[in-house]
Amino acid sequence: MLNSKQRAYLRSLANSIDTILIVGKGGINAEVIRQADDALTARELIKGKVLETSPVNAREAADQIAAETSSDSVQVIGSKFVLYRRNDKDPKIILPKERKK
């Protein structure tokens, strides 16, 4: 589970990355989940887009894909969403630590 500082950091990183996952009129199927899973393993942070012809909206797509790939939904804006999953074997993104009280 991400805290607000980590979420903000990931959102800032997501600004510069390209959209690599597209959910179209076929909705979320096994192929979309496989692509998301592979991309999360390779990159840790991915940006996706839901087309107007899709049967699901961006929030539903982000939540469903996150649940099926054991990732976190970082952000949903309009038709785009950002997902994050740490790669324990080869971490590429170092998240800021939570402040201790």
Side-chain angles (χ1 to χ4, degrees):
M1 194 72 191
L2 299 170
N3 64 38
S4 61
K5 188 174 186 178
Q6 292 168 334
R7 223 175 263 289
Y9 177 70
L10 290 171
R11 281 196 307 266
S12 71
L13 292 179
N15 283 333
S16 62
I17 66 173
D18 293 328
T19 302
I20 60 166
L21 186 68
I22 305 291
V23 179
K25 65 181 178 184
I28 299 170
N29 54 32
E31 182 63 20
V32 171
I33 298 299
R34 187 189 62 75
Q35 287 176 354
D37 192 50
D38 291 348
L40 285 163
T41 300
R43 301 174 182 224
E44 295 186 323
L45 188 68
I46 63 170
K47 190 184 291 185
K49 181 176 180 167
V50 177
L51 301 178
E52 289 180 18
T53 57
S54 175
V56 295
N57 65 33
R59 171 63 62 193
E60 294 166 340
D63 291 343
Q64 186 176 346
I65 295 170
E68 294 194 35
T69 59
S70 302
S71 59
D72 287 305
S73 176
V74 175
Q75 176 180 37
V76 178
I77 295 180
S79 64
K80 295 193 177 186
F81 59 91
V82 177
L83 300 176
Y84 169 77
R85 182 179 70 199
R86 179 179 164 82
N87 183 342
D88 291 326
K89 293 178 184 169
D90 183 23
K92 293 172 179 46
I93 299 172
I94 307 300
L95 292 176
K97 300 286 183 215
E98 190 172 337
R99 250 192 343 187
K100 296 184 179 177
K101 295 178 181 180

